[in-house]
Amino acid sequence: MDLSLGKANKLCSPKIIDEVFESGIQIKSYPFVLKLKETTLPKNVSFQVVFSAPKRTFRKAVQRNRIKRLCKEAFRSKRSILDTYLKQQNKQLALFLVYTPKEELALGLLEGRTEKLIKKIISQLESNDVKN
């Protein structure tokens, strides 16, 4: 399985991003707040994701870019869990990931927290399937 997080997995559509914020599900798992929505994506991928670091907290673009780069790397290393689940269930997700702490966390810690977040996403999707 390809473990890269390439251009196909990058959520760029303003229309889909607006839908995620209007009617998406919110999941909080320190250090992230995640908005997600099950949708049909234009490309043949199981998910597309956007990473965000708030300008209010990290004033310099260099800081924000470093935070987003670390988040991307942590998500990239753990994406196979989410990818296999979504392919088995034949679902597509749009994800908007916001980094919330006021300081930069270590990559090892972010990877562990990302895995926990992905497991929360899966359990949330399974509980929504039971309700429907």
Side-chain angles (χ1 to χ4, degrees):
M1 173 176 277
D2 183 24
L3 290 178
S4 67
L5 196 63
K7 188 173 181 176
N9 290 104
K10 185 177 177 183
L11 182 58
C12 297
S13 169
K15 182 180 172 187
I16 296 176
I17 292 173
D18 288 342
E19 286 177 17
V20 168
F21 275 98
E22 287 173 10
S23 61
I25 302 167
Q26 180 171 320
I27 299 174
K28 291 181 182 177
S29 177
Y30 183 82
F32 303 111
V33 173
L34 176 83
K35 296 285 266 185
L36 71 100
K37 179 164 175 54
E38 194 174 327
T39 184
T40 55
L41 298 172
K43 296 201 171 33
N44 191 17
V45 291
S46 54
F47 67 89
Q48 287 187 336
V49 63
V50 176
F51 297 92
S52 173
K55 190 173 186 177
R56 180 179 290 178
T57 307
F58 302 101
R59 290 289 184 195
K60 296 184 178 180
V62 172
Q63 293 173 316
R64 290 192 303 277
N65 292 340
R66 178 166 170 78
I67 295 292
K68 290 188 280 188
R69 200 166 37 248
L70 288 172
C71 291
K72 285 176 194 172
E73 176 59 24
F75 195 84
R76 182 201 65 78
S77 66
K78 303 295 181 184
R79 74 171 272 190
S80 62
I81 303 166
L82 182 62
D83 220 8
T84 53
Y85 173 78
L86 291 174
K87 285 182 180 174
Q88 286 173 354
Q89 301 296 318
N90 199 19
K91 294 182 179 183
Q92 290 183 317
L93 291 180
L95 306 168
F96 197 102
L97 195 72
V98 181
Y99 181 86
T100 56
K102 305 234 182 285
E103 70 283 340
E104 180 182 313
L105 298 177
L107 180 61
L109 179 63
L110 279 176
E111 285 178 348
R113 299 297 171 94
T114 303
E115 186 173 0
K116 183 178 172 185
L117 176 68
I118 289 173
K119 289 179 180 174
K120 269 190 172 181
I121 293 169
I122 292 170
S123 66
Q124 181 74 35
L125 291 172
E126 287 174 347
S127 67
N128 280 351
D129 284 346
V130 171
K131 289 178 184 176
N132 292 337

